[in-house]
Amino acid sequence: MSLALARLLQLASPALPVGAYTYSQGLEWAVESRLVHDQATAGEWIGGLLEEGIGRFEAPLTACLQRAWIAADLGEVTRLNDEFLASRESSELRAETLQMGYSLRRLLHDLDDFTVPAALDALPETAFPTGWALAAAAWQIPLADSLTAYLWSWCENQVLAAVKAVPLGQTAGQRALLQLGGRIPAIVQRALLLPEAAWSNFAPGLALASSLHETQYSRLFRS
């Protein structure tokens, strides 16, 4: 268990060289438009996406990807990878997951004692959740733990983007993370049980923010 935990901490670390810190997923535009302007509005924006966007689609899909890798169900891996790519509603969101997926795949190839299955390299395009789920499966990380870390890593990156863009103080950022982190266990449990027919990535605010960010004049982030 301690080795699996160590591997999970490595996978969820901001030091993972996939470039996550360069993306805000539309949050920068929300700051520019003053929809997000302080700790409270940042928490509302990030928390809303956590509950109704990533928590209802990306989280259950990532869980199913890990199950598919464990079962060596390569057809299901391909289907879910394609479904996630098709769900990206702006060119920036699609480019983000492809760049991070590519970087994670390259990293896994470079790690000692990690065998990258041919099925991953056979994918024409690799979404980030697909590579993440593979690593979690290969390192025998319990599904609930890996999904918790996945959501935590997403929240942490969003809060760090808010700290830079609003800007928020470091203490305000930690307060936001405490509040967001407290919501993750229930979201994980729901995601693990949510049937695919009930998945939903209906988040028009995110889609609009991401699309408008593409033409934003001054930008710190790539999305």
Side-chain angles (χ1 to χ4, degrees), residues 201-223:
N201 69 331
F202 181 69
L206 170 63
L208 289 170
S210 179
S211 297
L212 291 167
H213 184 268
E214 294 175 2
T215 56
Q216 189 171 320
Y217 176 71
S218 178
R219 300 186 295 176
L220 294 172
F221 298 94
R222 297 170 66 183
S223 73

Side-chain angles (χ1 to χ4, degrees), residues 17-41:
V18 296
Y21 68 93
T22 65
Y23 299 103
S24 80
Q25 297 193 349
L27 177 60
E28 187 174 27
W29 181 85
V31 173
E32 176 75 12
S33 66
R34 300 296 292 169
L35 288 172
V36 172
H37 54 84
D38 57 14
Q39 179 188 333
T41 51

Side-chain angles (χ1 to χ4, degrees), residues 72-140:
D73 188 344
L74 306 182
E76 182 71 351
V77 167
T78 299
R79 184 185 74 83
L80 291 168
N81 181 75
D82 291 347
E83 183 170 344
F84 185 75
L85 292 177
S87 75
R88 302 301 85 190
E89 294 184 298
S90 73
S91 62
E92 285 190 350
L93 290 176
R94 181 179 173 84
E96 174 183 339
T97 196
L98 288 176
Q99 180 273 304
M100 291 175 62
Y102 170 81
S103 296
L104 181 54
R105 182 173 64 179
R106 186 175 62 181
L107 173 65
L108 294 177
H109 271 290
D110 291 340
L111 292 179
D112 296 333
D113 300 323
F114 194 102
T115 301
V116 176
L120 184 68
D121 289 331
L123 293 173
E125 297 176 309
T126 303
F128 179 66
T130 306
W132 170 286
L134 168 63
W139 285 332
Q140 299 181 351

